[in-house]
Amino acid sequence: MHDARPDPDALIAQLRNDEARALRGKLRIYFGASAGVGKTWAMLSAAQRERAAGRDVLIGVVETHGRSETAALLAGLDTLPLRELAYRGRTLAEFDLDAALARKPAVLLVDELAHTNAPGSRHAKRWQDVQELLTAGIEVWSALNVQHLESLNGTVGAITGVRVHETVPDTVLDEADEVVLVDVTPDELTARLAAGKVYLPQQAERAAQNFFRKGNLIALREIALRRTAEHVEDDVRGWRVEQSGAAGNGQGGASLQAWNTSGAILACVGPHEGAAQTVRTAARLAGQLNVRWHAAYVETPRLQRLAAAERDRILAVLKLAEELGAATAVLTGSDVAEQLSEQARRLNCATLVMGRSEPVGGWRRWWPATPASLPRALAQRAPALDILEVGRADSARRLARTPLNTPRADDDDHEKAPIHWPGYAWATATSVALTLLCTPLASVLELSNIVMLFLLGVVGVAMRFGRGPSALAALLNVAAFDYFFVPPRLSFAVSDVQYVLTFAIMLGVGLLVGQLTAGLRFAAGVSTSRERRARSLFELTRELSAALESRQVVTLGAAAVQGHFGGHALVLVTDAADQLVLPTEPPEGFDAQVADWAFRHGQPAGLATATLAAQPWHYVPLKAPMRVRGVLALSPSQPRWLLIPEQAQQLDTLARQIAIALERVHYVEVAQQAVVEMESERLRNALLGAISHDVRTPLTALIALAESLQTLPPEEHGNAARAIVAQAHELHALVNNLLDMARLESGIAGGAVNLRRDWQSVEEVVGSSIRAAHTSLGDAVVQTTLDADLPLVEFDAVLIERVLVNLLENATKYGAPPIVVGARAEPGTLVLTVRDHGPGLPAALLGHEQKLFDKFTRGEAESATPGVGLGLAICRAVVSAHGGEITAANARDGGAEFTVTLPRREPPEPAEAQL
């Protein structure tokens, strides 16, 4: 019997998805096969109906292209003024994103979804503006033609012969809440074009001869219908998945499994021109099969020497794959087939999509046909992997002109990587040196040993300078060996045919050694790069684990990022009001508004992103598990690195570690604040409890005695007055203790305790303390044991007297007479003792005697003895302010003994003391 209860995890995930969907605005796209089918007209007609229904409809931007029927539909609709931008001496009108966000209508019309914004806009593309509007909760309607979809760009271009440069990622259409297909027949569209309802007459004539041919329109219509059907199919599949999840773990779960596929797609990005078409085909195939897909580029030692323009093209294709929803990676190795097959196994990919090999030309066309090397190697290494070859397309993906690839005076897109001439010079010099070394040894060594010396030179050159110089060294060494050492000497003629084999083996070994050594150098370089990334991440994690303050995290994070990427890095955190704290002196090129945008939207911006890509800085939000904790700003020394997937992932990982550390420090501060608040609450409760008992008692007695004066006979007034004075003294002492504790605590907490140090006589201070405590002592006997030769000691006499008075009062309350006050001088210290002959310290405090000196701590928790437990706390505060120490212990022959140790120095001469 199946359990019909729903899966709790599935319900939670569905609730979170519904919540996120409710906060995000809806996107409706009017989709058509080409211009002129009526997308804008259909969108405006629907907007008029919504306005009539009472909804707040606003036109952000609408292109009528001079069509009167379309312009008539604008009547009655509110229109947002366009923003004017100055560009190359002209004024361009663009959609005002900030004004739309401030207005925040219920429905916003933003036409021409594939439009490229003017330089200086926040986003490079209008579809990125729409994404920000959706995040703000605004419902957006837009229009799109099929030729503007990125994955169909090459296909449509091949059909129509017209290449469209303004494209939209397929994910934008896939994630749209509604796709409205606006369709007309090719004949009707041709008639509309001839009637001037699509373009002006001159434009219409050119369009009819090129793009608007009937065959093109039929093909585009089919593609649009298929693409819309795929979106509808995705909606049906999503509905089925939701229904399966809502049905619980019974039959609904089985239905869910029926939709899943068995594998993903891996696109192989090569260095050739048609790599972008490979990526687009893989994206289309992944969308049709509803599977995840990946893109990988394998960098071999040969490809590492590509020119800068070719490397830029590869990075542009990888960026295109990311925009189309792929997870990208740059693999390194000498065997492309091995790396791709291993990546396919690691990612559980069932299909590999690769570009078709270049056609064979020249004399090779007459050679017997053989299978392409890479597909054949892949088939041998991964027999179960489906390999799909993509047709070639005459299009190439290139990076836009940004600070990432700004041309320099020494750059040449048509040149290969520079040749390292010093290596070839050293190879020539090595061959000459070996020849000079071996010439005097020719009569001593066999020719086979001389060959070994020449081969050793080839190995050394290969180890130091790589493949090219080692090949040159091998050729020069063979020639030198033949000319100078093989008979007849000083001639390239060979008397013994066997030496020809020696030359061939010598050359082959030299070239092989150079090849192997260059491969080892390449592998070592790859390992070094990986180790460097791992080490920087490990060191940052280790250092952040010991950080306890936000400023430490900021310093460590900025240093780690700057150490890995070079350039300049900033870690910006938030303040108590959750606002980004900007640097007081921002470095050159830093834009505070872009940093704040990245923080508020939680998305990267600036350099190497789709948002404000012209900025020279790259801004990454510091996303912690709970919230965004700040922004990492980076101006790298090599901006190209930000386009390399491994380096981008490294930056993202470093940012994530910094964000987690900031969040950990934040919660440590929260915990510390909670502890402080708990301690404050405990002290407040203890203070209120003590005051409610020990302040109320003398106040009650004072009130009762004052009222009794009215009824007592005159001869009893004296006793009542003395009792009132005693209670008033007790209350006064209690208030003094509270005030003294507050003053001392404020000084210890960060202020300065004002000590009036002076050279004092210990005997006088002890005597004045006993006199000051006579009211509390009553008839108790006080004895003194003072050394006869006590020196003068520098301290605050008033505060030390307060310490002794509190100790005497404490001995009176909790001990028994006689009370003994002692003082003795020890090297560097003065020791004062106050002991009684009572029961001693409570048994519960033995071994924890320092607790007696905590605030509001009393020797007996419940006692009729008055006091709030501040006397000993004041003693410790005063002694600590003097740099001394106070302790408590049980005396050997009974009673409690308190010892005060104060630091002292030798007293000055009498004349100096008078000064």
Side-chain angles (χ1 to χ4, degrees), residues 64-83:
T64 62
H65 297 288
R67 303 163 191 160
S68 58
E69 299 89 345
T70 305
L73 292 174
L74 295 175
L77 294 173
D78 294 337
T79 302
L80 191 69
L82 298 177
R83 185 166 63 103

Side-chain angles (χ1 to χ4, degrees), residues 179 250 270 276 415 430 451 556 631 649 654 665 705 841 850 903 914:
V179 175
E415 292 184 0
T430 301
V451 168
L556 293 174
V631 171
Q649 293 171 6
L654 293 175
V665 169
L705 290 172
L841 300 179
Q850 286 300 319
Q914 291 177 0

Side-chain angles (χ1 to χ4, degrees), residues 151-152 155 170 223 226-227 230 279-289 293:
S151 65
L152 297 173
T155 302
D170 289 42
I223 294 174
R226 289 183 181 275
R227 195 63 182 84
E230 291 173 9
V279 167
R280 293 189 180 102
T281 302
R284 286 282 299 141
L285 185 60
Q288 292 173 356
L289 298 178
W293 71 290

Side-chain angles (χ1 to χ4, degrees), residues 537 540 544 553 557 560-561 565 571 618-624 629-633 648-662:
L537 182 59
L540 177 61
L544 289 180
V553 177
V561 175
F565 290 93
V571 176
H618 182 76
Y619 303 87
V620 183
L622 298 175
K623 293 184 179 180
R629 294 291 172 184
V631 171
L632 170 63
Q649 293 171 6
Q650 179 77 2
L651 179 61
D652 182 69
T653 304
L654 293 175
R656 182 62 61 90
Q657 292 297 322
I658 296 172
I660 292 175
L662 287 173

Side-chain angles (χ1 to χ4, degrees), residues 510-555:
L511 295 176
L512 178 61
V513 169
Q515 179 73 15
L516 293 176
T517 306
L520 290 176
R521 293 181 69 231
F522 175 74
V526 171
S527 300
T528 301
S529 177
R530 292 176 178 173
E531 188 272 337
R532 178 172 174 268
R533 294 198 302 267
R535 184 177 69 251
S536 63
L537 182 59
F538 167 75
E539 292 177 351
L540 177 61
T541 304
R542 181 187 60 188
E543 293 173 353
L544 289 180
S545 63
L548 298 178
E549 297 181 352
S550 297
R551 63 173 179 270
Q552 292 177 318
V553 177
V554 169
T555 303

Side-chain angles (χ1 to χ4, degrees), residues 519-833:
L520 290 176
R521 293 181 69 231
F522 175 74
V526 171
S527 300
T528 301
S529 177
R530 292 176 178 173
E531 188 272 337
R532 178 172 174 268
R533 294 198 302 267
R535 184 177 69 251
S536 63
L537 182 59
F538 167 75
E539 292 177 351
L540 177 61
T541 304
R542 181 187 60 188
E543 293 173 353
L544 289 180
S545 63
L548 298 178
E549 297 181 352
S550 297
R551 63 173 179 270
Q552 292 177 318
V553 177
V554 169
T555 303
L556 293 174
V561 175
Q562 188 169 330
H564 185 82
F565 290 93
H568 196 69
L570 294 175
V571 176
L572 310 177
V573 297
T574 57
D575 56 14
D578 199 24
Q579 298 294 323
L580 198 64
V581 179
L582 300 173
T584 54
E585 296 182 0
E588 183 181 359
F590 178 84
D591 194 324
Q593 294 182 350
V594 182
D596 185 68
W597 187 93
F599 169 71
R600 288 186 291 105
H601 291 79
Q603 298 177 4
L607 184 68
T609 67
T611 302
L612 297 171
Q615 292 289 325
W617 284 68
H618 182 76
Y619 303 87
V620 183
L622 298 175
K623 293 184 179 180
M626 298 300 297
R627 59 189 300 182
V628 178
R629 294 291 172 184
V631 171
L632 170 63
L634 171 64
S635 176
S637 60
Q638 296 291 335
R640 250 179 245 269
W641 281 15
L642 297 177
L643 293 178
I644 301 176
E646 278 68 24
Q647 298 296 341
Q649 293 171 6
Q650 179 77 2
L651 179 61
D652 182 69
T653 304
L654 293 175
R656 182 62 61 90
Q657 292 297 322
I658 296 172
I660 292 175
L662 287 173
E663 187 158 279
R664 176 181 59 80
V665 169
H666 169 73
Y667 283 114
V668 167
E669 295 174 353
V670 171
Q672 291 176 346
Q673 183 65 26
V675 171
V676 171
E677 292 177 356
M678 291 172 59
E679 183 66 18
S680 300
E681 185 68 17
R682 187 186 69 81
L683 293 178
R684 187 180 69 86
N685 293 336
L687 177 61
L688 291 176
I691 291 177
S692 64
H693 177 271
D694 294 290
V695 175
R696 185 172 55 186
T697 299
L699 285 177
T700 303
L702 286 173
I703 294 173
L705 290 172
E707 291 177 347
S708 66
L709 289 176
Q710 301 177 0
T711 58
L712 288 176
E715 58 272 13
E716 296 294 333
H717 284 183
N719 295 331
R722 285 190 291 273
I724 290 174
V725 171
Q727 293 294 334
H729 277 296
E730 184 176 337
L731 183 60
H732 180 265
L734 177 62
V735 173
N736 280 341
N737 278 340
L738 292 174
L739 294 177
D740 290 344
M741 193 70 242
R743 181 172 67 89
L744 292 170
E745 281 291 310
S746 64
I748 295 173
V753 179
N754 187 15
L755 297 179
R756 298 180 179 179
R757 295 177 181 267
D758 200 357
W759 295 101
Q760 305 290 342
S761 170
V762 178
E763 295 89 342
E764 293 181 1
V765 174
V766 171
S768 62
S769 301
I770 296 174
R771 288 192 298 272
H774 74 279
T775 303
S776 301
L777 292 172
D779 298 332
V781 178
V782 178
Q783 301 175 358
T784 58
T785 57
L786 308 179
D787 287 354
D789 55 348
L790 284 174
L792 296 177
V793 181
E794 189 179 22
F795 54 74
D796 189 323
V798 175
L799 292 180
I800 296 300
E801 178 182 315
R802 183 70 175 171
V803 170
L804 293 175
V805 169
N806 285 351
L807 292 177
L808 290 172
E809 292 178 351
N810 184 77
T812 305
K813 292 178 181 179
Y814 300 103
I819 300 173
V820 182
V821 179
R824 65 181 185 275
E826 295 184 354
T829 58
L830 171 69
V831 180
L832 302 174
T833 59

